[in-house]
Amino acid sequence: MKQQRRQVPSNTGDNQYRINHQIRIAQILVIGPDGDKLGVMSPDEARNIAADHGLDLVEVAPTAKPPVCRIMDFGKFRYEQAKKAAASKSARIDLKELRLRPKTDDHDMETMVRKAKGFIAHGDRVRLVMRLRGREQSHAELWLSKLEEIVALFKDCAQIAQPARIEGKMITATIEPVGGATATVPADKGPTIISAEGDDDDED
């Protein structure tokens, strides 16, 4: 009995995938709906198997030799892809910003380092910002070395995402948990900013 042609889902987006009768190459490697390799065969044979399962034949690796096609529910696949894309747009890695001064006292520094380690343990990325004012800007290299020393205090729990560097009137460095940051927040939420006592945004 001739198999009925399965209708191509309308939400094929940018035509990234060829499916069903759009696949016309002579031989393809077919992956079954359970992930098992069904072997090399013609698209007609693969479409018949897909139709028996009420599923689609989808080309997933067109540049392979032979091209790889998978039997799946293409509509469900596209829906899950769209959900993942929407989730990645609605959230981003959480960033905590610690604002320091070159002359932040030892007590405040210990407090901020302790807070930063707590953020790291939670899976957050931490950006250290040292703001320079007036004459401090003429000794930027000195304060760069100091920030590098502060970054070194996290070597037991974090990795460097961005090394210490001079950015205009600031010196910055970014650290994150070993293996990368995992904590996420809504994309429209700004970074959490924690300043050393007396470290306002005023600049000379």
Side-chain angles (χ1 to χ4, degrees), residues 97-169:
E97 183 172 295
L98 269 61
R99 294 183 178 178
L100 311 169
R101 292 281 294 118
K103 297 177 183 178
T104 297
D105 64 44
D106 292 343
H107 174 73
D108 286 340
M109 183 65 68
E110 289 173 5
T111 299
M112 298 193 76
V113 168
R114 187 169 59 250
K115 287 180 180 178
K117 287 189 173 183
F119 295 143
I120 293 292
H122 183 258
D124 298 317
R125 182 174 292 152
V126 178
R127 184 171 186 249
L128 306 173
V129 179
M130 182 179 288
R131 295 173 177 270
L132 307 180
R133 300 172 182 168
R135 296 177 185 175
E136 294 168 351
Q137 295 171 44
S138 62
H139 302 287
E141 294 296 333
L142 172 65
W143 305 122
L144 175 65
S145 296
K146 181 172 181 179
L147 190 61
E148 288 173 338
E149 291 174 3
I150 296 170
V151 169
L153 298 175
F154 297 91
K155 63 183 180 181
D156 60 331
C157 64
Q159 64 186 22
I160 297 174
Q162 178 236 298
R165 63 186 183 188
I166 300 170
E167 298 181 3
K169 296 181 180 181

Side-chain angles (χ1 to χ4, degrees), residues 8-9 21 23 31 39 47-48 58 87 89 97 149 163 177 182 187:
V8 177
H21 286 80
I23 303 168
I31 308 298
R47 277 189 287 267
N48 287 339
V58 182
K89 288 180 181 178
E97 183 172 295
E149 291 174 3
T182 56

Side-chain angles (χ1 to χ4, degrees), residues 76-89:
K76 181 179 179 181
F77 172 73
R78 292 292 291 177
Y79 173 72
E80 289 174 349
Q81 292 284 91
K83 258 179 46 172
K84 288 178 183 177
S88 66
K89 288 180 181 178

Side-chain angles (χ1 to χ4, degrees), residues 30-41:
V30 179
I31 308 298
D34 296 324
D36 299 326
K37 284 186 180 180
L38 303 184
V40 177
M41 62 185 75

